[in-house]
Amino acid sequence: MKALKLRTGFSNESDSPLAIQSAFIVSKMTGNTLFPEIATIAELSAATTVFVKALEDAKGRSTASIAKKNEARLVVLQLLKSLGLTIMGIANGNSEMLNSTGYPIAKTPGPRTIGNPGMVQLKPGISAGMLEASVKPEKPAPSYLFMISSVNPETAEKAEWVSFGSTVSKFIFTDLLPRSQYWIKVISVGPRGQRVAGAVFSGFAA
């Protein structure tokens, strides 16, 4: 299991939510016995006070007040980042400690799974003996297996498949019997060996 981390970047927050978030973190960290003697807490508290006042002053929309507000915002963002990194260094992944800080926990991406490659588009190639197969690109599938059989797998006693790997969602089969029917199946190959096979489709070579 991966260690928990805090979200320490707040640059996407608008001014008022940023001020609220910063004040909340200050309130949670002030007197927090799990994190004694972190000087940045007092600095963030003072910077938040300045930022809140600058927000009020900037309502007049004067150039000078907006500039001061932006400067105060930058200081808060920098201190939030610095404090968050300090906290993570002390907590070393301890969930109780991290959850006591007021910082949001960073979302951990879950394992990405691949889907069925879906319908296989088939059309004769530009030259005799060619058959072009393509599927809708499947993310995050990094590769595909394009499989071809010269007999119908639903009626034949045993269908022999020949596989070709591809890093793109299109493949051109060559050296086929001209104007002959073939059966195609595509398998999406994802991370860590994930494989998802699609249905079988048939088409004619050029």
Side-chain angles (χ1 to χ4, degrees):
M1 182 177 178
K2 292 184 177 180
L4 293 179
K5 293 184 178 181
L6 300 178
R7 179 165 71 87
T8 60
F10 299 92
S11 58
N12 290 333
E13 300 283 356
S14 56
D15 292 334
S16 292
L18 174 61
I20 293 171
Q21 180 70 69
S22 184
F24 179 65
I25 290 171
V26 168
S27 70
K28 297 291 286 184
M29 289 300 298
T30 300
N32 188 328
T33 57
L34 297 175
F35 299 95
E37 301 179 3
I38 300 180
T40 316
I41 299 172
E43 295 177 31
L44 180 60
S45 178
T48 302
T49 300
V50 171
F51 182 43
V52 170
K53 183 178 185 306
L55 283 178
E56 287 297 317
D57 294 342
K59 290 180 179 179
R61 305 301 297 172
S62 72
T63 302
S65 63
I66 291 175
K68 287 184 178 180
K69 182 265 294 182
N70 290 339
E71 289 176 6
R73 174 188 170 88
L74 182 59
V75 172
V76 168
L77 289 172
Q78 291 171 337
L79 289 172
L80 283 170
K81 180 81 170 179
S82 177
L83 177 59
L85 293 175
T86 300
I87 288 170
M88 284 193 289
I90 296 172
N92 194 29
N94 184 294
S95 60
E96 180 186 358
M97 296 177 72
L98 294 175
N99 283 314
S100 73
T101 65
Y103 277 87
I105 301 297
K107 293 181 179 179
T108 303
R112 300 179 67 186
T113 58
I114 57 175
N116 190 301
M119 181 177 180
V120 181
Q121 299 285 346
L122 297 171
K123 65 179 182 180
I126 59 175
S127 300
M130 289 185 176
L131 177 60
E132 180 180 307
S134 62
V135 295
K136 184 178 179 180
E138 171 65 35
K139 295 181 180 180
S143 60
Y144 302 85
L145 284 177
F146 286 83
M147 306 177 68
I148 186 168
S149 175
S150 58
V151 297
N152 188 343
E154 294 183 359
T155 58
E157 185 174 330
K158 183 179 180 181
E160 293 186 0
W161 293 96
V162 179
S163 302
F164 299 88
S166 175
T167 56
V168 294
S169 59
K170 183 171 77 171
F171 186 81
I172 299 176
F173 297 97
T174 60
D175 299 322
L176 306 178
L177 290 175
R179 296 181 296 280
S180 295
Q181 187 175 12
Y182 289 87
W183 285 261
I184 309 297
K185 178 169 61 176
V186 178
I187 297 177
S188 298
V189 182
R192 301 173 185 172
Q194 293 175 321
R195 294 193 177 198
V196 180
V200 176
F201 295 83
S202 65
F204 289 84

